Amino acid sequence: MASVYKQISGNDRAEEKPTGEKRNKQRVLILSSRGVTFRHRHLLQDLYSLMPHSRKEAKFDSKTKLYQLNEMAELYNCNNILFFEARKGKDLYCWMSKPPNGPTVKMHLQNLHTMEELNFIGNCLKGSRPILSFDAGFEKQAHLRVIKELFTQIFGVPKNSRKTKPFVDHVMGFTVADGKIWVRVYQINESETSKKKPVDGDSVDVDELINKKKGKSGDFDVSLVEIGPRFVLTPIVIQESSFGGPIIYENKEFVSPNQVRSDLLKAKAGRFNTRTDAQRDSRNRRAELGLTSHGGVKKAKDPLSDQVLFA
């Protein structure tokens, strides 16, 4: 009876995957480095809840020996790695890799907003599969095509993965703008179309009445409601192998956030130095003219003043 029930219900995986056809087996290892903030931890938890084929691991201690992540992925039988590296408690970098042969993409993550911060009204079922929506700009450049393939294999939940429910109720959108990748998550919301009640003299649709009696649903309005999280990724480099190998792409326009903060401090210091030099020059000119700061004749210094005693 069990085999008959499987054949009737369509749950027999042998029928879904004929002999010789390769199944899509994807498992993602999600982890972070030490030094992440609470917002970064909430982002990891949000992504873990949206990806039923992922495995969450403890923090990774080293920030230089990232090639050890390949061994960790092999231990947990994962063929994708999503690693978040925190720097100085402020900056967050995202590493996406395909062990053991690569490639690896390093991106700077900014404009982060978690589900708790956004508090949107949308919601999706836990364990459901997403629809991945990519901008047409991903097909225009070679490095964006590589990133698109990594996104597809990491965020695309396989049909027969563990903890996966047979529902598709949310969309992950990836958009390219200003050299950055904007990531948004939406719920697919279906609602019945509102139809006014027939008034005397109006024509009545017989098919619609029959469908209502049979319990069949009518037309639906499909809309998207954002649920979060949302963030922006800036590609930095792409390496040929997994956490190593030659660099096949480098973003020349990327400016490190450390450099941005250093430039701001130098600009503030430059304004202070300019103002201090101007005040010193003004005092020197007034001293040469024998004037005080109030514009009168210079008075004799007090012999008991600090300038005279401690000169």
Side-chain angles (χ1 to χ4, degrees):
M1 286 297 295
S3 61
V4 175
Y5 174 75
K6 285 183 179 180
Q7 291 180 359
I8 294 175
S9 61
N11 292 332
D12 191 0
R13 294 190 175 183
E15 291 294 333
E16 295 179 0
K17 294 293 179 180
T19 306
E21 184 178 353
K22 187 177 180 181
R23 288 178 56 189
N24 183 17
K25 295 182 179 180
Q26 301 291 337
R27 293 193 66 186
V28 184
L29 179 65
I30 301 179
L31 72 166
S32 67
S33 65
R34 296 203 173 273
V36 293
T37 62
F38 71 97
R39 301 178 72 245
H40 301 161
R41 289 196 302 270
H42 288 178
L43 174 63
L44 264 70
Q45 185 61 37
D46 293 344
L47 294 177
Y48 179 70
S49 61
L50 290 174
M51 301 163 62
H53 66 305
S54 62
R55 178 186 176 91
K56 191 176 179 182
E57 187 50 38
K59 297 177 181 178
F60 187 66
D61 289 331
S62 178
K63 293 184 180 179
T64 56
K65 301 178 181 179
L66 297 182
Y67 58 86
Q68 295 178 356
L69 292 172
N70 297 325
E71 301 177 3
M72 190 178 297
E74 186 179 358
L75 289 175
Y76 293 114
N77 194 20
C78 296
N79 53 359
N80 297 283
I81 297 177
L82 188 61
F83 176 64
F84 293 93
E85 180 185 0
R87 296 281 184 178
K88 295 187 176 181
K90 302 177 183 178
D91 308 325
L92 185 65
Y93 294 91
C94 175
W95 294 78
M96 296 191 309
S97 178
K98 187 75 178 173
N101 299 323
T104 303
V105 180
K106 180 183 179 182
M107 294 179 288
H108 179 227
L109 193 148
Q110 55 190 148
N111 296 340
L112 165 63
H113 299 281
T114 60
M115 288 185 180
E116 283 191 13
E117 295 175 348
L118 296 172
N119 198 19
F120 285 135
I121 60 174
N123 192 11
C124 66
L125 295 174
K126 188 176 180 63
S128 61
R129 300 171 60 216
I131 296 176
L132 302 183
S133 175
F134 291 96
D135 186 17
F138 278 95
E139 300 296 333
K140 296 181 180 179
Q141 299 181 12
H143 71 281
L144 292 178
R145 288 196 293 268
V146 174
I147 296 175
K148 176 184 176 181
E149 184 63 27
L150 280 175
F151 280 149
T152 303
Q153 299 190 23
I154 290 178
F155 294 102
V157 181
K159 186 176 182 181
N160 297 321
S161 177
R162 68 185 189 98
K163 299 181 182 180
T164 303
K165 303 298 188 298
F167 306 108
V168 178
D169 63 349
H170 62 283
V171 179
M172 292 193 70
F174 302 92
T175 308
V176 178
D178 297 334
K180 298 178 175 58
I181 301 173
W182 305 69
V183 182
R184 299 289 185 269
V185 183
Y186 302 93
Q187 176 203 359
I188 303 175
N189 188 20
E190 294 184 355
S191 59
E192 292 188 6
T193 55
S194 59
K195 294 183 179 180
K196 62 180 181 179
K197 297 180 180 179
V199 189
D200 295 339
D202 292 348
S203 60
V204 180
D205 192 352
V206 181
D207 295 335
E208 183 180 351
L209 294 177
I210 294 174
N211 290 335
K212 285 185 178 180
K213 290 182 178 180
K214 290 183 178 180
K216 295 181 179 179
S217 59
D219 297 334
F220 287 92
D221 288 335
V222 180
S223 59
L224 297 179
V225 181
E226 188 171 359
I227 60 178
R230 55 164 64 171
F231 49 90
V232 180
L233 298 171
T234 305
I236 302 175
V237 293
I238 299 180
Q239 294 177 313
E240 186 176 358
S241 59
S242 181
F243 296 104
I247 296 176
I248 59 178
Y249 169 77
E250 184 177 2
N251 188 2
K252 302 294 185 181
E253 298 179 356
F254 174 74
V255 180
S256 172
N258 280 334
Q259 186 65 36
V260 174
R261 288 191 290 266
S262 176
D263 293 342
L264 291 175
L265 291 176
K266 288 180 180 179
K268 290 182 179 179
R271 291 196 296 269
F272 175 77
N273 294 334
T274 303
R275 186 168 62 251
T276 304
D277 294 341
Q279 292 175 357
R280 186 177 63 251
D281 295 341
S282 178
R283 287 196 301 268
N284 294 336
R285 286 196 302 269
R286 289 180 178 276
E288 292 175 358
L289 296 174
L291 300 175
T292 61
S293 58
H294 299 287
V297 180
K298 187 176 180 180
K299 298 180 181 179
K301 291 184 178 181
D302 185 7
L304 299 179
S305 64
D306 295 340
Q307 292 80 3
V308 176
L309 292 177
F310 302 102

